[in-house]
Amino acid sequence: RHDEEAVIDQGRTSNVVNIHYEKEELEGHRTLYVGVRMPLVRQSHRHHRAHSQKHRKREREKDAVPAEQGYHYTPSQRVQFILGTEEDEQHVPHDLFTELDEICVKEGEDAEWKETARWLKFEEDVEDGGERWSKPYVATLSLHSLFELRSCIINGTVLLDVRATSVEDIADLILAQQEPSPEFDERTRAKVREVLLKKHHHQNERKRNNLLPIVRSFADVSKKQDLHLLEKPAQTLTPHPSPTTAEAKNGVTPETSAMDLSKAELHFMKKIPSGAEASNVLVGELDFLHQPLVAFVRLTPAVLLSGMTEVPIPTRFLFVLLGPGGKAHQYHEIGRSMATTMTDEVFHDVAYKAKDRADLVAGIDEFLDQVTVLPPGEWDPSIRIEPPKNVPSQEKRKMPGALDESSSHSKPEKHSGPELERTGRLFGGLVLDVKRKAPWFWSDFRDGLSLQCLASFLFLYCACMSPVITFGGLLGEATHGHISAMESLLGASMTGVVYSLFAGQPLTILGSTGPVLVFEKILYKFCKEYTLSYLSLRTCIGLWTAFFCVVLVATDASCLVCYITRFTEEAFASLICIIFIYEALEKLSHLWETFPVHMHSKLDLLTIYYCKCEPPAHPSNETLRIWRSNGVNVSGITWGNLTVTECRSLHGEFHGPACGHNGPYAPNVLFWCCILFFSTFVLSSLLKKFKTSRYFPTRVRSTVSDFAVFLTIVIMVLIDLGIGIPSPKLHVPHVFKPTRDDRGWLINPIGPNPWWTVLAALIPALLCTILIFMDQQITAVIVNRKEHRLKKGCGYHLDLFMVAVMLGVCSVMGLPWFVAATVLSITHVNSLKVESDCSAPGEQPKFLGIREQRVTGLMIFVLMGCSVFFTSVLKFIPMPVLYGVFLYMGVSSLRGIQFFDRLKLFWMPAKHQPDFIYLRHVPLRKVHLFTLIQLLCLVLLWAIKASRAAIIFPMMV
């Protein structure tokens, strides 16, 4: 049967590797990047046996002439044809781990294969000392080595779909294809076989040996016995599971007994994807050889070869290059070229699907066609290029007619997707959102079972708790206690839990917003002037608003989101970030009034400074009324012995050189609050960047980075307790009941108001609907940006429906209205970013996506609802620490907003400007004009927000 035979493609010995090059010439060309077009054609393929030397020679010459009569294919066209063929079970591309082993055999000396480099995606070399791996770097190849590699594939032995179970079988197959000659007799053949079967020494084995201490305890002896397991045959190892069952079908699956791996191996194994296979590159110089031996082997199926690879994964490809002595560096560079091309996404797929030698050559030619030359005199070849943060997609190399990158950037970004298409049916978008999200519902909980989600929950709980209570306090002042901190806490926890459970995009965090607070103030003032019941009229407005939102859901109005451009997104997101930064600094400045500082004091007069309480010289009518209602006997009070709180409650006055406008000077408090505020911001930023530090193992750095804000809060709380300065603390309600005794948990929509107020509430409800719709949907658009790679998508209709339902419930219960909080949502998304493991300290991790789940939001608001019962813990958190967290959230959310990157360009000389893609295609003056228009819009939004016309803010957006 044809599928039981290897496709044997025997080539002639390469003359290229016999050329002598000086060492300086080779080292001076250790940079590749050259483009060469070599036309190839798609040839018909047949499985065949090599019947004779003449037959092999004819086939070799046939492959060497890649032209058919009639048409010449380019390398890229042939590669696209190869990759477009149907895949069978045996030729499905897997992730590859590539290892380069080298050997040097000289007369009278014992030798073994030594691992010198490895590739998972980028190259890592064994450093000269042999004690450690280098940092991963972008491989730079010599021009000579790539052309020599091409010659090796053309002239060497190519064995495709070989069935073998051991290194011995592979060595026999390779040697069987070598033509006998006086220079390659049976004695030489036996020596080469002996070399191919020699033991492989891997770099981590040296580490294992170094782990054994000089002074051994019983525990050390047991460890040594565990290390001896590493010397057992590879069949005792447990390889990565493969997605196919071909190994099991062919009876070559290794035994599944376990193996004790070193920490270094276990750490590296985690970086190798499940189902990965190995590509082994073996190069070396043998003093008894007179001509090179080259072979490229593809095993089908992949086989776990005993001791061949550093990690226990099955081998799919082998490349062997053995040649005469004196050219070790040349062989090394060819081996690096082979290993690097195997990591190329396109050639990697070609290697799996190639039917013959010509396909492999086409893959190399296509690789050469894509690279770029760096002139040797204009850079230092010894410099290692750091891996890029983002690698461009190679899909356009695989598919003809793919969109060019430049053309894609020339078009304005527009939000699109099935969730933003009109259905033409009532609630059609909502029904489709439910159908799209239902399959992901349980995975939303499973994906939340991770340490990163716990860190995000602890951080955001503290970040959400303070604004909810602060917002409740401000609302209580504005409404004279009709809605205050307790109502705010209950409303936030209830709406947050329901939204986290059933929303289309659970990563959006609900919170209080400035425009809603402005609306509440205006409404309360209106009701007070016209003697209307505030809570009843508010309930009518809330129910109408909920109804209008449901109408928007029914008519698929969320589809209008597709017209929200990056211009609007960035203006809105920038405004919210600036509000966070501004309010954090503003709250800090207000502490100056609460804790005044004694300016221009003299140290020598500290013993005579005082501040005492005295009765007011001219009491106001309000003060007299309070005294009469409380039965205060002014003459019977010892005013000088009153505390600050008692003096203020009796409307006393403070007199003395140590008194400020509102009371005694507070020593140290303001400055200590400033220290807490800025220390929280700086420490949070530093710990967040700790992942890219050069200290400690990767797991430690990642954990510290994930828990950065929570660790900062804990550290600052402990320092504050240790210092003992009375900084202001977080205030949480102690008793679960409405703030005012004259209201309950259910509000009558009409109450004492006239019946016509139910209809009149339509007008403010329309404004409130616009506000909530814009706030909710713009936040959802920002969260669901393409660069966030959210795989589970967003249900815009479902989100708005859930907000509408909770809005109606909160209105009937007399609770605050909560909608999507932009900065909190952005911070939530940023805290759940999944990044690649840093292979070395200082390496920038690669962004992989967002951990989409419902657990963090659910835990935040569940714990928020329970906060009333453990206020003894929360009361130790200083408010300046939370203000510092707000500042960190605002500043960190600015990162990634293109608007601020463009603002920096105004002060940058052209030669120092970053290489942004839009600067390549748009004149700088137009970029500046665009930025100025956006800046003016942002200033206008800020002016409207700060004015009495803040209620029309959503319409201006």
Side-chain angles (χ1 to χ4, degrees):
R1 289 174 50 186
H2 294 301
D3 59 352
E4 294 178 348
E5 300 175 1
V7 180
I8 302 170
D9 210 345
Q10 170 67 40
R12 64 178 178 270
T13 302
S14 170
N15 293 323
V16 179
V17 294
N18 290 325
I19 301 175
H20 177 70
Y21 294 100
E22 296 295 336
K23 183 176 182 181
E24 292 78 6
E25 292 178 336
L26 291 171
E27 291 180 348
H29 288 82
R30 188 173 169 156
T31 60
L32 158 78
Y33 298 137
V34 63
V36 178
R37 287 195 177 274
M38 306 188 111
L40 291 177
V41 299
R42 181 68 196 170
Q43 299 189 30
S44 60
H45 166 67
R46 293 177 301 163
H47 291 282
H48 60 86
R49 290 181 182 269
H51 299 288
S52 64
Q53 300 299 332
K54 291 183 179 180
H55 177 81
R56 286 200 295 265
K57 185 176 181 180
R58 285 197 302 269
E59 291 297 322
R60 179 175 66 242
E61 292 174 351
K62 181 180 177 181
D63 285 340
V65 182
E68 280 184 352
Q69 295 181 357
Y71 188 74
H72 291 264
Y73 291 89
T74 64
S76 61
Q77 288 173 332
R78 179 158 187 167
V79 165
Q80 290 164 3
F81 181 82
I82 296 169
L83 299 183
T85 57
E86 295 182 2
E87 295 179 351
D88 55 37
E89 187 180 10
Q90 301 293 349
H91 297 90
V92 176
H94 294 228
D95 292 304
L96 275 183
F97 164 71
T98 304
E99 177 181 315
L100 173 61
D101 290 5
E102 299 184 43
I103 196 169
C104 180
V105 177
K106 295 184 179 179
E107 191 67 31
E109 296 182 9
D110 191 18
E112 62 181 356
W113 291 99
K114 292 185 179 180
E115 183 182 17
T116 58
R118 67 185 183 190
W119 287 255
L120 193 54
K121 178 61 180 175
F122 300 99
E123 181 174 354
E124 297 176 58
D125 294 339
V126 176
E127 302 288 17
D128 291 338
E131 295 293 335
R132 65 179 187 130
W133 287 103
S134 69
K135 290 176 58 177
Y137 66 94
V138 178
T140 54
L141 309 174
S142 71
L143 178 61
H144 290 287
S145 63
L146 271 176
F147 281 107
E148 288 171 345
L149 173 63
R150 184 178 185 275
S151 179
C152 288
I153 297 297
I154 291 176
N155 300 299
T157 301
V158 175
L159 301 175
L160 301 179
D161 299 335
V162 171
R163 295 184 181 274
T165 58
S166 64
V167 180
E168 291 82 357
D169 294 344
I170 299 171
D172 292 337
L173 284 170
I174 293 174
L175 293 173
Q177 304 307 313
Q178 307 306 312
E179 299 179 5
S181 66
E183 296 179 344
F184 197 82
D185 53 16
E186 290 300 322
R187 183 170 176 271
T188 305
R189 188 185 302 269
K191 286 185 177 181
V192 172
R193 186 179 189 277
E194 181 183 353
V195 170
L196 290 175
L197 300 183
K198 282 185 176 293
K199 179 186 175 183
H200 290 253
H201 179 86
H202 301 109
Q203 192 269 346
N204 54 22
E205 293 178 12
R206 186 187 300 270
K207 285 186 176 181
R208 280 193 224 119
N209 295 332
N210 291 341
L211 290 175
L212 296 177
I214 298 175
V215 181
R216 298 175 181 174
S217 62
F218 289 104
D220 295 328
V221 173
S222 65
K223 288 181 182 178
K224 180 180 178 183
Q225 292 174 352
D226 291 337
L227 291 174
H228 282 321
L229 294 175
L230 299 173
E231 305 298 330
K232 292 184 178 181
Q235 280 75 11
T236 64
L237 311 182
T238 304
H240 269 285
S242 176
T244 66
T245 58
E247 291 84 353
K249 290 181 180 179
N250 293 282
V252 296
T253 303
E255 298 175 9
T256 58
S257 56
M259 168 188 178
D260 183 20
L261 298 174
S262 68
K263 288 185 178 180
E265 287 174 292
L266 289 173
H267 178 73
F268 185 68
M269 284 284 287
K270 293 178 183 177
K271 301 179 182 180
I272 299 178
S274 178
E277 297 175 341
S279 171
N280 292 95
V281 179
L282 309 178
V283 300
E285 53 178 345
L286 311 181
D287 62 348
F288 55 82
L289 275 184
H290 300 286
Q291 60 183 19
L293 183 149
V294 182
F296 180 89
V297 181
R298 182 177 70 199
L299 301 177
T300 303
V303 179
L304 187 64
L305 300 176
S306 175
M308 174 73 77
T309 313
E310 173 189 355
V311 287
I313 57 177
T315 295
R316 172 72 69 167
F317 298 98
L318 276 94
F319 176 78
V320 179
L321 170 59
L322 301 175
K327 299 180 181 179
H329 183 76
Q330 188 175 352
Y331 303 149
H332 172 76
E333 290 301 314
I334 297 174
R336 289 182 63 249
S337 299
M338 183 73 254
T340 304
T341 54
M342 292 301 295
T343 62
D344 177 66
E345 184 178 332
V346 176
F347 183 83
H348 161 274
D349 291 353
V350 171
Y352 269 96
K353 294 186 175 183
K355 299 295 195 302
D356 51 32
R357 179 197 313 275
D359 287 351
L360 295 174
V361 176
I364 294 178
D365 288 338
E366 193 276 340
F367 179 83
L368 287 168
D369 202 27
Q370 299 296 327
V371 296
T372 306
V373 173
L374 291 178
E378 299 182 11
W379 79 301
D380 185 359
S382 64
I383 296 176
R384 290 174 175 172
I385 303 176
E386 292 285 338
K389 293 182 180 180
N390 295 308
V391 180
S393 173
Q394 303 298 311
E395 289 302 317
K396 62 182 180 182
R397 293 171 58 191
K398 300 179 181 180
M399 296 181 296
L403 284 176
D404 184 65
E405 184 179 5
S406 60
S407 64
S408 65
H409 283 280
S410 63
K411 297 180 181 179
E413 184 178 347
K414 186 177 179 181
H415 301 282
S416 61
E419 67 272 11
L420 293 178
E421 296 178 359
R422 287 190 177 276
T423 62
R425 302 187 305 272
L426 281 178
F427 296 100
L430 176 63
V431 172
L432 292 180
D433 277 354
V434 173
K435 290 181 178 179
R436 275 189 294 266
K437 297 300 295 185
W440 299 102
F441 188 75
W442 292 116
S443 70
D444 284 345
F445 292 94
R446 292 194 300 269
D447 294 346
L449 304 178
S450 71
L451 198 64
Q452 186 180 15
C453 294
L454 176 62
S456 176
F457 150 66
L458 293 174
F459 158 38
L460 281 169
Y461 169 71
C462 299
C464 294
M465 188 70 174
S466 178
V468 165
I469 294 175
T470 303
F471 175 78
L474 295 174
L475 198 57
E477 294 176 3
T479 63
H480 285 75
H482 284 89
I483 300 176
S484 193
M486 176 54 70
E487 289 79 9
S488 181
L489 198 61
L490 176 62
S493 60
M494 185 175 66
T495 57
V497 168
V498 175
Y499 188 87
S500 298
L501 282 174
F502 303 110
Q505 179 49 277
L507 297 185
T508 301
I509 296 292
L510 299 187
S512 52
T513 61
V516 171
L517 179 60
V518 173
F519 182 86
E520 297 276 15
K521 287 181 179 179
I522 295 174
L523 179 63
Y524 182 80
K525 185 177 180 181
F526 174 83
C527 293
K528 189 174 182 181
E529 289 178 354
Y530 293 94
T531 62
L532 297 173
S533 172
Y534 162 69
L535 290 178
S536 295
L537 183 59
R538 181 182 180 275
T539 302
C540 292
I541 295 174
L543 290 174
W544 276 118
T545 303
F547 172 75
F548 289 145
C549 288
V550 171
V551 171
L552 292 175
V553 173
T555 56
D556 292 348
S558 294
C559 295
L560 297 173
V561 167
C562 65
Y563 298 105
I564 298 177
T565 63
R566 178 180 283 270
F567 184 96
T568 306
E569 287 178 43
E570 289 185 342
F572 186 78
S574 301
L575 178 68
I576 302 300
C577 292
I578 293 173
I579 288 175
F580 259 70
I581 297 171
Y582 172 79
E583 293 193 351
L585 295 172
E586 185 185 37
K587 287 180 171 64
L588 182 68
S589 66
H590 286 168
L591 294 178
W592 184 281
E593 301 173 3
T594 308
F595 304 101
V597 177
H598 192 183
M599 306 291 290
H600 309 294
S601 62
K602 297 181 180 180
L603 297 179
D604 195 42
L605 300 180
L606 289 178
T607 55
I608 61 174
Y609 285 147
Y610 68 91
C611 182
K612 62 181 181 179
C613 181
E614 295 180 356
H618 304 285
S620 64
N621 292 332
E622 178 69 16
T623 300
L624 292 174
R625 186 185 63 80
I626 292 175
W627 285 352
R628 283 195 300 268
S629 62
N630 294 328
V632 175
N633 183 8
V634 179
S635 60
I637 297 176
T638 307
W639 290 88
N641 294 335
L642 295 180
T643 64
V644 174
T645 304
E646 292 171 342
C647 185
R648 285 174 175 164
S649 65
L650 293 174
H651 289 217
E653 296 178 351
F654 296 96
H655 294 277
C659 292
H661 294 292
N662 298 317
Y665 294 122
N668 309 323
V669 176
L670 177 65
F671 296 116
W672 177 240
C673 290
C674 292
I675 292 173
L676 289 175
F677 176 79
F678 290 106
S679 298
T680 300
F681 170 72
V682 173
L683 188 58
S684 297
S685 302
L686 292 177
L687 292 181
K688 193 64 181 177
K689 296 177 182 177
F690 194 67
K691 178 176 284 187
T692 57
S693 165
R694 299 183 180 275
Y695 305 100
F696 301 103
T698 303
R699 184 180 295 275
V700 175
R701 287 186 277 121
S702 298
T703 303
V704 171
S705 178
D706 291 338
F707 285 85
V709 179
F710 178 74
L711 288 175
T712 299
I713 293 174
V714 172
I715 292 171
M716 300 314 296
V717 167
L718 294 177
I719 293 176
D720 180 71
L721 291 175
I723 298 297
I725 296 177
S727 58
K729 303 296 192 295
L730 178 66
H731 175 71
V732 185
H734 297 280
V735 183
F736 181 72
K737 69 184 184 81
T739 305
R740 289 175 63 113
D741 294 332
D742 59 350
R743 61 151 291 180
W745 289 120
L746 292 176
I747 308 298
N748 188 340
I750 301 179
N753 294 337
W755 65 269
W756 53 264
T757 56
V758 175
L759 300 178
L762 277 168
I763 299 175
L766 286 173
L767 287 174
C768 193
T769 301
I770 297 174
L771 185 151
I772 290 176
F773 178 83
M774 294 298 293
D775 207 346
Q776 175 69 36
Q777 300 297 43
I778 289 180
T779 302
V781 165
I782 294 172
V783 169
N784 288 277
R785 279 179 178 170
K786 291 181 180 179
E787 53 262 37
H788 287 158
R789 303 180 190 174
L790 293 163
K791 296 179 181 178
K792 300 178 183 178
C794 172
Y796 293 94
H797 311 280
L798 181 57
D799 286 350
L800 187 60
F801 180 78
M802 293 306 305
V803 169
V805 171
M806 297 313 301
L807 183 67
V809 173
C810 289
S811 300
V812 173
M813 295 184 65
L815 305 177
W817 298 328
F818 291 92
V819 293
T822 306
V823 171
L824 288 172
S825 301
I826 295 174
T827 306
H828 190 204
V829 170
N830 290 337
S831 68
L832 294 173
K833 285 185 175 179
V834 180
E835 297 176 327
S836 61
D837 196 7
C838 297
S839 300
E843 179 188 349
Q844 292 293 333
K846 180 182 177 183
F847 174 65
L848 302 177
I850 304 294
R851 193 181 300 277
E852 300 169 74
Q853 38 76 41
R854 301 177 181 269
V855 176
T856 54
L858 185 63
M859 292 175 64
I860 288 168
F861 293 106
V862 167
L863 193 60
M864 189 177 292
C866 301
S867 297
V868 178
F869 305 105
F870 53 89
T871 55
S872 57
V873 177
L874 298 176
K875 69 181 182 181
F876 290 110
I877 301 179
M879 289 303 297
V881 172
L882 295 180
Y883 300 157
V885 172
F886 294 164
L887 179 63
Y888 168 77
M889 290 167 60
V891 173
S892 62
S893 298
L894 291 178
R895 301 191 192 104
I897 297 180
Q898 191 190 90
F899 169 65
F900 286 92
D901 293 334
R902 285 186 272 108
L903 276 179
K904 299 175 187 176
L905 298 178
F906 282 103
W907 295 274
M908 283 188 190
K911 65 178 181 179
H912 295 302
Q913 292 175 356
D915 187 22
F916 295 132
I917 191 67
Y918 51 82
L919 291 181
R920 299 182 184 181
H921 304 283
V922 183
L924 186 60
R925 58 183 176 82
K926 290 190 176 181
V927 173
H928 287 335
L929 179 61
F930 182 85
T931 307
L932 283 174
I933 295 173
Q934 202 170 15
L935 180 62
L936 289 175
C937 292
L938 185 60
V939 171
L940 179 62
L941 285 175
W942 182 270
I944 292 173
K945 175 205 169 288
S947 69
R948 299 185 65 180
I951 196 168
I952 67 169
F953 168 76
M955 299 177 65
M956 295 306 299
V957 171

